[in-house]
Amino acid sequence: MRATVVVPVLKSRSRGSQSESASTRTPESRLEEATGLAQAIDLDVVNGSIVPVNDPRPATLLGTGKIEEIKALLDERDSGLVIVDHPLTPVQQRNLEKEWNAKVIDRTGLILEIFGRRASTKEGTLQVDLAHLNYQKGRLVRSWTHLERQRGGGGFMGGPGETQIEADRRMLQDRIIKLERELEQVVRTRQLHRAKRRKVPHPIVALVGYTNAGKSTLFNRITGAGVLAEDMLFATLDPTLRRMKLPHGRTVILSDTVGFISDLPTHLVAAFRATLEEVLEADLILHVRDMSDADNQAQSSDVMRILNDLGIDEAEAEKRLIEVWNKIDRLEPEVHDTMVQKSAGASNVVAVSAVSGEGVDTLMEEISRRLSGVMTVATIRLPVDKLALLPWLYDHAIVDSREDNEDGTITLDLRLSETEATELERRIGNGQKSSKEDWER
């Protein structure tokens, strides 16, 4: 379908119409992003316009002159769809469709359309459907004029009954309630999965970032997984978890989550809360940034705002977050070298290229260091009846040396975190520290 993208730039802040995140972006970057969103669902964008709006109109958002100007463009380019990169009220959407004689969708509707295309699992489909129904609920229009009222009772004494809009709204609400119940089951299932993972406590590392920052490419580079990774907004939607080995042999779980975007609809965040809770549960969060994008600072602010909405405040982020400056292979040599030097001097930043692999080893070392915390050095002798602990030890500790003794026991020199040392003591001695000859520090 041939589409036209319109980016309203609101000059007047008195109405509170323009969001904080949108105000930090240049109009050109907003137009580029909106065009990319449209192309992500195979729309043919034939025209893009930046439209200054001095006084937002309650009925149409845009002024009469701009509406007529865009109408002429639509006729000239034979465009039957207009994407307005701004939230529209149901009244504004309907009025613009009448004026332009074309289908009109706003930013929220476009993002929902993309998510609907990308959802591939039952959970993803449920979440998108729920967000879509909540969006539609406020946009019901009276199109069933021949069923203006359904008779509420028999004979002449029957009440007026309900309008078709009321019947449609009731059916939508019934469907929303059903989806919410199904999603509650999804939440319970995820909680069970997390409980199982805690029994074999591998640390969880979550990838977050603005859409198209390169999270899936980095995920594939680190884990060797075959997750879809394309130069496209919202190329992946459903979360993916994989086990991976850190440089010293420790096993962790890496989670790739849905990309964030500015002005993400509130009901969409609510619908995807079950998925985004993977981030809340993570021991470490990798914030992937596209440093080749001129707008990367504004994108980073959007991501941090959403993390804060989820409950990860600035102090929490300081302890659990590493910034991954991605796509440095796209930078000019001088900028590239400056970026690498700057990241080397920062305590929570690593510069990488997920495509070429540059800096990935440094990132893995930093993940290992951050997850290890204060390391405990231990020498342990495993009795014969505890040899089943060997796989757990190789997964959760750094084994510096191993000696197989003649009596069948095994002596190991280990480095492990305080938490894992406590867990090992529990596993060896059922909660009691074993004798000195079995456990020495």
Side-chain angles (χ1 to χ4, degrees):
M1 181 180 289
R2 295 166 69 85
T4 293
V5 176
V6 175
V7 178
V9 180
L10 276 62
K11 301 294 185 182
S12 172
R13 300 298 301 277
S14 59
R15 300 278 180 104
S17 302
Q18 188 179 27
S19 69
E20 181 183 351
S21 58
S23 67
T24 62
R25 300 175 176 279
T26 63
E28 292 76 17
S29 68
R30 289 179 56 201
L31 177 59
E32 182 182 355
E33 181 179 274
T35 302
L37 287 170
Q39 292 170 342
I41 51 174
D42 304 321
L43 293 176
D44 179 17
V45 179
V46 295
N47 186 60
S49 302
I50 296 172
V51 181
V53 181
N54 293 320
D55 187 21
R57 304 289 179 87
T60 56
L61 181 66
L62 310 179
T64 306
K66 285 298 179 184
I67 289 176
E68 292 176 355
E69 184 181 320
I70 293 170
K71 169 66 174 171
L73 276 174
L74 295 176
D75 294 339
E76 179 186 338
R77 302 292 177 90
D78 190 27
S79 178
L81 174 65
V82 182
I83 297 165
V84 180
D85 188 50
H86 191 277
L88 294 176
T89 66
V91 171
Q92 289 170 343
Q93 182 178 355
R94 184 175 69 245
N95 290 340
L96 288 174
E97 286 182 340
K98 288 180 179 179
E99 293 287 344
W100 290 333
N101 193 29
K103 175 68 177 173
V104 175
I105 60 174
D106 63 1
R107 182 181 179 85
T108 301
L110 179 59
I111 293 173
L112 285 170
E113 187 68 28
I114 296 170
F115 275 34
R117 294 275 191 99
R118 296 288 182 267
S120 58
T121 64
K122 181 181 178 183
E123 176 187 353
T125 303
L126 284 173
Q127 291 172 134
V128 172
D129 285 350
L130 178 60
H132 222 294
L133 289 174
N134 279 314
Y135 176 72
Q136 288 178 335
K137 190 167 64 170
R139 294 172 184 269
L140 291 175
V141 294
R142 229 171 78 176
S143 56
W144 294 69
T145 53
H146 63 290
L147 293 177
E148 184 174 353
R149 284 206 181 268
Q150 300 173 11
R151 178 66 59 181
F156 295 101
M157 300 302 293
E162 63 180 353
T163 64
Q164 184 63 38
I165 295 177
E166 290 166 344
D168 289 347
R169 186 175 288 117
R170 177 169 46 79
M171 287 188 289
L172 271 179
Q173 188 60 39
D174 290 344
R175 176 69 177 148
I176 287 171
I177 292 171
K178 181 182 177 183
L179 285 175
E180 286 175 340
R181 286 173 180 165
E182 291 184 50
L183 272 174
E184 285 176 6
Q185 182 60 45
V186 169
V187 172
R188 286 194 292 270
T189 301
R190 280 193 172 276
Q191 289 171 344
L192 288 173
H193 290 168
R194 291 190 191 110
K196 288 180 180 178
R197 288 201 295 268
R198 290 190 193 104
K199 292 180 181 178
V200 185
H202 296 307
I204 297 174
V205 179
L207 291 170
V208 301
Y210 207 78
T211 181
N212 206 32
K215 296 184 304 302
S216 295
T217 304
L218 182 62
F219 185 87
N220 290 340
R221 166 69 65 173
I222 293 175
T223 65
V227 174
L228 175 66
E230 294 184 13
D231 187 12
M232 177 193 299
L233 298 176
F234 293 118
T236 53
L237 176 60
D238 296 298
T240 307
L241 288 85
R242 293 285 188 277
R243 291 188 182 190
M244 70 173 188
K245 290 277 189 181
L246 292 177
H248 299 294
R250 188 179 188 185
T251 299
V252 301
I253 295 174
L254 188 65
S255 171
D256 184 18
T257 60
V258 61
F260 296 166
I261 196 167
S262 64
D263 303 322
L264 194 65
T266 304
H267 50 270
L268 196 56
V269 174
F272 276 79
R273 183 164 289 276
T275 298
L276 295 174
E277 280 176 357
E278 294 291 349
V279 178
L280 296 178
E281 293 284 328
D283 299 277
L284 192 61
I285 300 169
L286 304 185
H287 175 193
V288 184
R289 294 176 57 182
D290 177 2
M291 303 309 289
S292 68
D293 193 315
D295 224 25
N296 72 81
Q297 188 59 52
Q299 293 175 355
S300 175
S301 299
D302 288 326
V303 172
M304 296 308 298
R305 190 176 299 113
I306 294 174
L307 288 178
N308 187 68
D309 291 343
L310 290 172
I312 301 173
D313 58 21
E314 190 173 333
E316 186 74 13
E318 185 70 25
K319 294 185 287 186
R320 295 170 55 193
L321 189 138
I322 298 175
E323 277 200 6
V324 181
W325 290 358
N326 192 25
K327 301 190 182 182
I328 59 173
D329 55 298
R330 295 187 177 185
L331 304 175
E332 295 296 327
E334 299 82 4
V335 180
H336 169 279
D337 294 343
T338 302
M339 191 82 65
V340 171
Q341 290 174 6
K342 188 176 179 181
S343 67
S347 60
N348 64 334
V349 176
V350 180
V352 307
S353 167
V355 171
S356 69
E358 179 185 359
V360 172
D361 290 342
T362 304
L363 175 61
M364 297 290 280
E365 289 285 352
E366 179 63 16
I367 293 172
S368 182
R369 186 189 70 79
R370 291 283 290 269
L371 289 178
S372 296
V374 179
M375 297 294 285
T376 297
V377 178
T379 299
I380 182 172
R381 190 176 72 186
L382 279 181
V384 176
D385 62 338
K386 298 291 184 180
L387 293 183
L389 285 175
L390 272 176
W392 186 92
L393 283 169
Y394 277 98
D395 275 346
H396 292 81
I398 300 170
V399 180
D400 292 321
S401 68
R402 168 177 170 166
E403 181 181 353
D404 296 318
N405 304 313
E406 293 183 359
D407 60 357
T409 61
I410 296 177
T411 301
L412 301 165
D413 290 327
L414 306 171
R415 281 178 290 152
L416 67 173
S417 69
E418 290 284 354
T419 302
E420 286 160 341
T422 302
E423 175 65 14
L424 179 57
E425 291 175 11
R426 186 191 68 78
R427 288 172 179 255
I428 288 178
N430 295 322
Q432 302 295 324
K433 186 179 289 189
S434 50
S435 63
K436 183 174 176 58
E437 67 176 10
D438 287 339
W439 176 270
E440 297 175 353
R441 295 189 184 175

